[in-house]
Amino acid sequence: MSKPSPVGAVMIAAALAAGRSLARDFGEVENLQVSRKGPADFVTSADMRAEEIIYTSLTKARPGYGFLMEERGIVEGTDKSNKFIVDPLDGTLNFMHGQPHYAVSIGLERDGRPFAGVVFDVAKNEIFWAEVGRGCWLEQRKLRVAARKKLGEAVVATGTPWMGKSEESHITFAREMAAMTPVTAGIRRYGSAALDLAWVAAGRFDAFWERGLKPWDIAAGIVLVREAGGIVEEIEGGDVMKTGNILAGNEDIVPGVREQLRHAGSFGKAAKV
């Protein structure tokens, strides 16, 4: 069994602490569903509390490191080689509606490259972690991406554009779904990109794609998938951390998904496979 490095252990501890805070707050969300005001303000506060826990914990352990955080934004550090990329609550809409599928995501970028990642599935009490050269783990179990080779046998996860996104993004997604649905065993949309990537690493999903994600949505998951033997790439071949257009899976499934998505984006219909 591999053990995390000292910085990996610090990231795991921070994720667990934030997760405990979120779990307590999640217990209140159901009570707020029937209130006139609703849970939105409460969830925003829960998100910020979790982020503060992470920030305090990580700055104490690694005071020179920089940060990119969903709520706090960019925090410059004296150590220009290391930057934590943090989403304290991935799956906010699920959390807000009392659905137990949300996560804490902490990534570490070293010299401009994803180096370590922790994703904590709070409701299921599953801690996924990975570091370059140390593999990907679900607690003490080493993970590998699924071994399926045929797209027709694959279950693929995705994320849908939300209200407020451009009309073009909704049209692109509709075309991609039309391309993907007939050639896969099934499409899933669970509402947490961090957990989608963790589940690709664990072999629960065969692939995952989504467009327009933020660095904090994917930084940790990229390391998980790669260290589990999978592929992570930008859908059109660019820099995935800049565009957020991500495709992940094993080396046999990714090419087929890529072909479908690119064809759908260019021509609005499915390619033949």
Side-chain angles (χ1 to χ4, degrees), residues 97-218:
H97 286 265
Q99 299 171 12
H101 191 76
Y102 60 94
V104 179
S105 177
I106 304 176
L108 174 61
E109 189 177 84
R110 178 163 290 173
D111 297 323
R113 297 172 179 264
F115 178 78
V118 174
V119 174
F120 179 32
D121 184 334
V122 180
K124 299 175 190 64
N125 195 34
E126 291 185 330
I127 187 89
F128 300 85
W129 67 271
E131 296 179 50
V132 171
R134 291 177 183 261
C136 179
W137 301 79
L138 172 52
E139 297 171 2
Q140 286 81 40
R141 180 164 64 89
K142 192 169 187 180
L143 299 180
R144 293 291 298 177
V145 292
R148 293 180 187 87
K149 296 181 180 295
K150 296 180 180 179
L151 190 56
E153 298 173 353
V155 173
V156 179
T158 189
T160 57
W162 55 89
M163 185 173 62
K165 295 286 280 186
S166 69
E167 181 181 359
E168 181 183 357
S169 68
H170 287 274
I171 291 171
T172 296
F173 178 75
R175 289 174 173 173
E176 290 177 345
M177 281 293 287
M180 290 297 299
T181 303
V183 297
T184 60
I187 306 291
R188 300 290 182 265
R189 198 281 190 190
Y190 285 175
S192 168
L195 285 175
D196 288 337
L197 288 165
W199 284 22
V200 170
R204 299 173 185 177
F205 290 141
D206 297 287
F208 165 70
W209 96 90
E210 189 169 353
R211 292 180 181 270
L213 291 170
K214 300 298 184 182
W216 48 79
D217 297 319
I218 59 177

Side-chain angles (χ1 to χ4, degrees), residues 16-27:
L16 291 172
R20 287 191 291 269
S21 175
L22 289 173
R24 289 191 295 269
D25 288 333
F26 187 76

Side-chain angles (χ1 to χ4, degrees), residues 23-105:
R24 289 191 295 269
D25 288 333
F26 187 76
E28 300 296 322
V29 169
E30 274 192 330
N31 298 328
L32 296 171
Q33 295 297 331
V34 296
S35 73
R36 192 170 182 180
K37 188 175 183 181
D41 290 343
F42 177 82
V43 171
T44 299
S45 297
D47 193 344
M48 295 181 71
R49 277 192 294 272
E51 184 171 282
E52 183 62 31
I53 289 168
I54 294 168
Y55 181 72
T56 300
S57 178
L58 294 181
T59 52
K60 182 178 180 181
R62 294 292 186 276
Y65 286 20
F67 286 84
L68 174 60
M69 311 185 83
E70 183 178 18
E71 303 299 335
R72 195 179 296 258
I74 297 173
V75 179
E76 297 289 349
T78 57
D79 182 343
K80 302 303 181 182
S81 294
N82 291 287
K83 179 171 64 180
F84 291 117
I85 304 177
V86 178
D87 190 345
L89 175 53
D90 188 69
T92 304
L93 193 61
N94 290 345
F95 189 95
M96 187 182 298
H97 286 265
Q99 299 171 12
H101 191 76
Y102 60 94
V104 179
S105 177

